[in-house]
Amino acid sequence: MFERFRAFLEGLTGSAAQIERGDPRVAVIGLCFQVMEADGKIRFSERRKMRAIIKEYYQLDDSALNALVAAGETAESEAIDFYQFTAEIKRHFAEEQRVELVGMLWDIVYADGARSEMEDHVIWRIADLLGVSGRDRVLKRREAAARIDGEEAAGEQQEG
């Protein structure tokens, strides 16, 4: 399930234990928090999805994950807009990685089973600032929605 993020997260620099200023992982988590907050409430399912993705592909232990998430949450709370994060990401990520990030953000949106107009708007703005086309943004949204539908169908089959 998370394989498509492996390429996105591979090659990012910085030790998990040492979080430095300008670490693009902090910018990624900052954007994740901005998306999670878009509808007015961070749900446990969204936070859990974000943590699972970040932990798996940065190959972090719980302590390092907690430190990185805390740094991202602090950065997000101090941010005045999306630009500080998207500018950092554009400096470090290739176009394909930025498209995959948008997909990751959609996965977080759908973690609670629904998406709101505000979440749509926030991801639209982030994608625009990252230079991700409207076509790619919509494609990633559809892929995330299809994964959720597939997971629900698989869960129903197991219950039946």
Side-chain angles (χ1 to χ4, degrees):
M1 176 176 167
F2 297 110
E3 286 182 31
R4 69 187 181 89
F5 296 120
R6 186 168 308 281
F8 162 67
L9 296 172
E10 268 181 20
L12 296 180
T13 59
S15 158
Q18 182 179 350
I19 302 168
E20 298 178 13
R21 185 170 178 83
D23 187 330
R25 300 173 304 171
V26 173
V28 167
I29 293 171
L31 287 180
C32 290
F33 274 103
Q34 290 183 327
V35 166
M36 290 187 292
E37 290 177 345
D39 62 0
K41 183 176 181 184
I42 296 178
R43 289 171 179 72
F44 177 74
S45 57
E46 294 169 328
R47 185 181 283 269
R48 182 179 59 223
K49 177 65 113 178
M50 178 202 59
R51 289 177 61 85
I53 291 168
I54 298 298
K55 182 178 184 173
E56 175 76 20
Y57 290 98
Y58 284 123
Q59 299 179 357
L60 302 173
D61 62 26
D62 288 338
S63 175
L65 175 65
N66 291 339
L68 190 59
V69 169
E73 192 167 15
T74 297
E76 188 279 329
S77 71
E78 296 171 353
I80 56 172
D81 60 16
F82 306 127
Y83 182 77
Q84 78 180 57
F85 299 129
T86 58
E88 187 69 31
I89 290 167
K90 280 185 83 170
R91 278 194 293 275
H92 290 92
F93 291 12
E95 180 182 358
E96 183 177 300
Q97 292 172 306
R98 295 191 309 266
V99 170
E100 289 304 318
L101 172 58
V102 170
M104 180 177 82
L105 296 174
W106 281 121
D107 282 337
I108 292 168
V109 164
Y110 280 104
D112 66 359
R115 75 175 216 266
S116 74
E117 186 176 316
M118 289 305 299
E119 290 167 327
D120 281 343
H121 178 75
V122 167
I123 292 183
W124 170 75
R125 285 294 304 138
I126 290 169
D128 188 52
L129 289 168
L130 290 174
V132 172
S133 71
R135 179 186 176 281
D136 286 336
R137 176 178 45 84
V138 170
L139 178 63
K140 291 300 178 183
R141 184 192 76 216
R142 289 179 180 161
E143 289 173 0
R147 276 190 297 281
I148 290 298
D149 290 341
E151 289 172 7
E152 287 175 1
E156 288 173 10
Q157 286 178 352
Q158 288 178 352
E159 290 175 9

